[in-house]
Amino acid sequence: LGVLIMLWSRRAAHVEVAEGVLASITVGVLIKFVQGLGTISHFNFEFPGQLLDFFKVFGFFLFDISVLRPACLFQNTLAGDFIGSLSTPMFVLGSCVAWRWITRLLAKCSTRCGELTWDCTLNAIGMFMHFFYIAMCMSTLGIWVCSSNPSGKETLTSAPYTLCYEGEHVYLMMVGGLIV
């Protein structure tokens, strides 16, 4: 991540500013489109199996940490899943700031390494926040999406092991309301 930020910043020094802005906008629009395809797999429509599998592939771009299978290391709990999905973007944004300080130290040690300026760092943070917007909305609003089951009880669609409006689900709905 930091290497990409550094390469992007160095590229801007050799290319006109307008080209960098156009490339940034193009990448942003492309990622929003792909994220939109990923959100379709979460709709409550009966898609044909192959089409649903196609849409689920693009769910990777929603930055869902369940793809990394954290349940292998940590117990599956609603609070852990909810907080984990909301904290992932914060770690990425924090890594942008950390990378700025790392490049500052590297620039002092070697003349070949350039230092990232605060402008570049804030630009990278803004771009990542733009990329994470849909994923954050889906994570935050997903706490209110319940599905009915044949047993008559409703379960949370994103965490089918959780009964809606009972236990920790009620508390996380309040947290989600504060975040929104």
Side-chain angles (χ1 to χ4, degrees):
L1 177 68
V3 172
L4 290 175
I5 294 170
M6 192 166 85
L7 289 175
W8 184 263
S9 297
R10 287 186 179 226
R11 180 192 167 292
H14 302 290
V15 180
E16 289 188 33
V17 175
E19 290 180 11
V21 171
L22 288 175
S24 175
I25 291 170
T26 302
V27 169
V29 168
L30 180 65
I31 287 180
K32 289 293 180 194
F33 173 73
V34 172
Q35 284 178 334
L37 288 175
T39 59
I40 292 173
S41 67
H42 295 296
F43 292 166
N44 287 333
F45 296 128
E46 292 296 323
F47 291 110
Q50 291 175 336
L51 183 61
L52 186 61
D53 291 340
F54 173 75
F55 289 138
K56 283 185 178 181
V57 168
F58 295 106
F60 172 77
F61 293 96
L62 295 174
F63 307 106
D64 184 11
I65 64 164
S66 66
V67 173
L68 301 176
R69 301 181 58 102
C72 294
L73 299 174
F74 305 106
Q75 184 180 4
N76 245 359
T77 64
L78 179 61
D81 291 346
F82 185 66
I83 292 169
S85 65
L86 292 177
S87 63
T88 301
M90 299 308 141
F91 286 119
V92 172
L93 298 177
S95 72
C96 290
V97 175
W99 190 254
R100 191 256 190 254
W101 292 107
I102 291 170
T103 60
R104 188 172 185 188
L105 291 174
L106 289 174
K108 288 181 180 180
C109 297
S110 172
T111 58
R112 295 177 63 191
C113 294
E115 179 181 342
L116 285 178
T117 63
W118 276 113
D119 291 339
C120 292
T121 304
L122 293 177
N123 184 29
I125 289 173
M127 287 176 60
F128 283 122
M129 286 177 65
H130 180 76
F131 294 155
F132 285 129
Y133 177 74
I134 290 177
M136 292 292 290
C137 286
M138 290 204 48
S139 294
T140 304
L141 298 175
I143 198 74
W144 287 288
V145 180
C146 296
S147 301
S148 59
N149 290 315
S151 66
K153 295 190 176 193
E154 289 187 335
T155 58
L156 195 60
T157 304
S158 60
Y161 51 84
T162 302
L163 293 175
C164 287
Y165 315 112
E166 294 182 17
E168 68 180 337
H169 182 244
V170 174
Y171 298 114
L172 288 176
M173 286 175 57
M174 289 184 236
V175 171
L178 291 174
I179 291 173
V180 171

